[in-house]
Amino acid sequence: MSIDHTPLSTQKPLSTQKPLSTLDVLESEAIHIIREVAAEFEKPVLLFSGGKDSVTVLHLAAKAFWPAKIPFGLLHVDTGHNFPEILKFRDETAAHYGIDLKVAKVQDYIDDGRLRERADGTRNTLQTQPLIDAIAEGGYDAVFGGARRDEDKARAKERIFSLRDEFGQWDPSNQRPELWNLYNGRHVNGEHVRVFPISNFTELDVWSYIARENIALPHLYYAHEREVFQRDGMWWSTGEFSAPRPEESVIRKSVRYRTVGDMSCTGAVESEADDIASVLAEVAVTTVTERGATRADDRISAAAMEDRKKDGYF
């Protein structure tokens, strides 16, 4: 047998297969996680708000099981202050996939006295109890979320499989190792696991994937003219749940939303990015995360997100 002494740098590769791109690797990892959960847990559910990250997770789930139907339903906690456009998109998307959608409403809790309106008017933090109750009532033992590590430092602390106790709470000091991408879903009755398939995506990765896969999104994510007023360095939309103060002037401006949470705590950014290519260019040069730029509830304290997660928040 002759030995090939050709330098390695000039030898032909054993395979001519094109190497996987970053998006291919991220997609493969996410699909593996989703399939692992479907195989390991009795009753998963996907938290679905109609925002870009949960839309991406839903798209990945559809690819994971195609041509079969997605084997779990959707759950949304409606604050009562959500953008109407997002709720419409949420319902249309669930109908498109032919998938069951359960909605837990913060307003129901306020009406019967289980929750009380906050002095600042925001309801984002009020979602925690309805979420925990909906998980318990639905018997869900695994809950998919669209959180990414680059959103907030508290997000970066959490594992892909995040064990929650019988009260839905998260203990940052009691997390399981995930060496070699091995995920431990063991839990006892009453506990459940939050699962984050796109943990290793960045905001730019999500937008790049949306562009590649031609995923439909609510139009709020693209630049459009809107009546807004400025507060705390953010542009707030005028409306029933975000009215300007006497000293705040309302103007019409081209803006877009980087995240689409509760209207009472979510701001827009000034933008002319009205298509996917323009958004990609804009996101590529930004130096502030979308939550840092447009979510007032995350500015309450340096540990605002972590405190909410410990209580059972997304």
Side-chain angles (χ1 to χ4, degrees):
M1 180 183 295
S2 61
I3 299 176
D4 185 358
H5 293 284
T6 307
L8 290 177
S9 60
T10 60
Q11 289 184 16
K12 292 183 178 180
L14 294 177
S15 172
T16 57
Q17 183 177 353
K18 186 178 178 180
L20 294 176
S21 68
T22 298
L23 289 182
D24 290 332
V25 172
L26 291 170
E27 178 189 67
S28 178
E29 178 187 52
I31 287 176
H32 164 68
I33 292 165
I34 293 169
R35 287 173 175 167
E36 184 73 13
V37 169
E40 188 173 345
F41 292 85
E42 292 291 332
K43 193 175 181 182
V45 71
L46 196 163
L47 290 177
F48 187 74
S49 65
K52 68 182 185 309
D53 297 319
S54 61
V55 169
T56 297
V57 175
L58 179 58
H59 179 84
L60 287 160
K63 292 192 78 170
F65 302 107
W66 189 88
K69 185 179 177 180
I70 297 171
F72 43 79
L74 306 178
L75 172 63
H76 181 223
V77 180
D78 182 357
T79 67
H81 289 178
N82 295 93
F83 291 93
E85 301 96 322
I86 298 301
L87 296 181
K88 181 174 183 289
F89 180 86
R90 177 202 68 185
D91 295 342
E92 290 174 349
T93 301
H96 170 76
Y97 283 98
I99 192 168
D100 184 53
L101 169 67
K102 300 291 185 185
V103 179
K105 297 182 178 180
V106 170
Q107 188 63 51
D108 292 342
Y109 281 69
I110 293 173
D111 290 344
D112 64 20
R114 284 177 289 175
L115 289 175
R116 186 177 299 174
E117 290 275 19
R118 289 167 51 99
D120 60 8
T122 182
R123 289 185 175 182
N124 208 40
T125 55
L126 301 184
Q127 296 177 86
T128 300
Q129 194 57 52
L131 171 63
I132 293 171
D133 290 348
I135 291 171
E137 291 166 8
Y140 305 120
D141 55 354
V143 182
F144 290 106
R148 308 185 322 271
R149 296 191 191 281
D150 70 328
E151 287 182 83
D152 181 273
K153 58 187 178 183
R155 300 284 204 205
K157 285 184 177 182
E158 201 159 19
R159 302 286 192 266
I160 291 175
F161 272 35
S162 176
L163 181 68
R164 301 299 177 102
D165 66 19
E166 63 271 26
F167 303 105
Q169 297 176 333
W170 172 58
D171 182 358
S173 65
N174 184 30
Q175 296 189 87
R176 296 163 173 174
E178 292 178 342
L179 304 175
W180 305 292
N181 294 333
L182 297 175
Y183 307 110
N184 183 353
R186 295 182 65 181
H187 61 285
V188 300
N189 287 338
E191 296 177 339
H192 70 274
V193 175
R194 305 278 175 94
V195 183
F196 307 107
I198 61 170
S199 281
N200 291 323
F201 282 67
T202 64
E203 183 185 8
L204 183 59
D205 291 329
V206 167
W207 276 107
S208 298
Y209 189 69
I210 288 168
R212 191 185 82 171
E213 300 290 301
N214 194 28
I215 301 173
L217 288 180
H219 78 273
L220 291 178
Y221 280 109
Y222 302 100
H224 57 286
E225 282 204 353
R226 201 178 189 93
E227 287 192 346
V228 294
F229 58 94
Q230 193 166 42
R231 179 185 300 167
D232 300 329
M234 297 188 299
W235 291 104
W236 297 69
S237 176
T238 58
E240 182 182 355
F241 312 117
S242 56
R245 297 165 183 160
E247 69 276 11
E248 295 170 336
S249 300
V250 175
I251 61 174
R252 195 162 183 85
K253 183 174 283 292
S254 177
V255 299
R256 75 176 191 87
Y257 286 85
R258 292 176 65 185
T259 180
V260 288
D262 191 312
M263 287 181 68
S264 60
C265 65
T266 304
V269 294
E270 189 172 354
S271 175
E272 297 293 338
D274 58 359
D275 59 28
I276 190 70
S278 303
V279 171
L280 279 169
E282 190 175 272
V283 173
V285 298
T286 188
T287 57
V288 182
T289 69
E290 72 257 46
R291 295 194 72 92
T294 64
R295 294 296 286 269
D297 55 327
D298 288 336
R299 299 182 179 186
I300 296 172
S301 74
M305 171 66 82
E306 183 162 338
D307 291 340
R308 294 203 302 276
K309 287 176 72 65
K310 288 178 180 177
D311 290 337
Y313 185 76
F314 309 149

